[in-house]
Amino acid sequence: MKKTNRREFVQTAVKATVFTTIGAPAILSAACSAKPSEDTTDEESAIAALAFAQVKLPYDYAALEPNIDATTMDIHYNKHHTAYIKNVNDAIAEENITFATEAEFFANVSTLSAKARNNGGGAFNHNFFWQVMKPGSEAPSGKLADAINGSFDSFEKFKEQFTHAAMTRFGSGWAWLVNDNGTLKIGSTPNQDNPLMDISDFKGTPLLALDVWEHAYYLKYQNKRNEYIANWWNVVNWSEVASRLV
Ligand code: MN
């Protein structure tokens, strides 16, 4: 590739990062950290541009009390999530992964190592999870309420179905609400897989996610995943969910 073409490629890749990343503005800002290296003399490293960044927690550790306790939030964010971010970026460097965007990374995750897949999923899923929660919660409204009612008959039936998906995910994983070409769907993924991954049986654009790993609830709820889920509805950020329904 000629130098000029390579520069154009880098510029295009950076634009693609901004415009094709799945998610709302906060995810976009995280993806925007996937910028070329400051060391512009090394154009090869500029092409290997993707770096996952941990979003700032949009509230204090105690803000979701009593539904999610401060100690769990602190450990979950600063230990578990921070480790996923570090480890996926290590994998990207070790394996010379050159995908330009998170969306491209997940769409090709079947070609990557278990380290890249598991930690990349953990990095993205938690960035997503923090943002779809907030202190206090209102019911969905407007276009989102219409879409939920259209796909599940009522908000109560939607909650039942989502809770069922979260309860029946055996072991560690996530429950999701996704937009699949205009239809809302509920499902779950194992471990740190997500619906953007090419290897996932359950696919779509994530709108809402619930972490059902024991590390998300065990300190407060021990084995009572059902109580964790029931209380989690009190902290869902429905306006954030609605912003992802485009
Ligand atoms: Mn987690």
Side-chain angles (χ1 to χ4, degrees):
M1 197 186 286
K2 289 179 184 174
K3 272 202 159 192
T4 49
N5 288 343
R6 184 171 287 171
R7 275 199 201 91
E8 285 167 11
F9 174 81
V10 171
Q11 287 168 355
T12 304
V14 171
K15 281 180 189 166
T17 300
V18 173
F19 291 111
T20 67
T21 300
I22 307 295
I27 291 286
L28 282 178
S29 67
C32 285
S33 68
K35 61 178 185 273
S37 165
E38 296 294 329
D39 179 10
T40 51
T41 60
D42 184 354
E43 292 187 44
E44 289 294 342
S45 72
I47 290 172
L50 179 62
F52 283 80
Q54 187 172 28
V55 299
K56 189 176 184 303
L57 200 64
Y59 33 74
D60 295 337
Y61 301 125
L64 305 184
E65 294 261 16
N67 305 288
I68 298 177
D69 63 284
T71 303
T72 295
M73 282 300 301
D74 185 352
I75 296 170
H76 202 175
Y77 181 84
N78 289 308
K79 303 297 183 187
H80 294 278
H81 192 199
T82 299
Y84 294 129
I85 298 277
K86 178 188 184 299
N87 290 336
V88 69
N89 289 330
D90 286 351
I92 287 169
E94 290 159 9
E95 299 167 31
N96 295 313
I97 294 169
T98 55
F99 298 123
T101 66
E102 293 179 4
E104 195 182 348
F105 179 96
F106 292 125
N108 294 279
V109 83
S110 61
T111 67
L112 305 180
S113 68
K115 180 176 180 177
R117 168 181 171 175
N118 292 333
N119 289 287
F124 174 91
N125 296 350
H126 290 86
N127 274 343
F128 190 95
F129 185 50
W130 311 136
Q131 294 175 82
V132 294
M133 297 189 290
K134 69 166 194 172
S137 182
E138 305 91 32
S141 60
K143 185 179 160 190
L144 176 63
D146 293 344
I148 287 174
N149 292 333
S151 298
F152 308 106
D153 289 337
S154 70
F155 183 54
E156 286 309 311
K157 285 186 179 173
F158 155 75
K159 283 176 68 174
E160 282 174 22
Q161 195 173 324
F162 191 96
T163 298
H164 180 76
M167 284 300 296
T168 54
R169 166 48 55 191
F170 184 78
S172 298
W174 293 76
W176 301 91
L177 173 69
V178 302
N179 180 6
D180 183 16
N181 294 314
T183 303
L184 301 196
K185 293 181 177 173
I186 289 168
S188 71
T189 53
N191 304 312
Q192 294 294 355
D193 286 357
N194 67 48
L196 301 176
M197 291 183 175
D198 61 348
I199 41 74
S200 181
D201 293 333
F202 181 72
K203 291 191 181 72
T205 302
L207 300 176
L208 178 63
L210 173 58
D211 189 344
V212 294
W213 283 58
E214 284 187 346
H215 70 224
Y217 63 88
Y218 205 84
L219 287 180
K220 179 179 174 69
Y221 295 98
Q222 294 84 46
N223 61 318
K224 293 166 285 199
R225 187 189 285 189
N226 59 327
E227 292 184 13
Y228 161 65
I229 296 168
N231 289 340
W232 173 76
W233 291 113
N234 296 326
V235 294
V236 173
N237 185 345
W238 289 110
S239 61
E240 182 70 25
V241 176
S243 75
R244 295 163 189 276
L245 183 64
V246 290

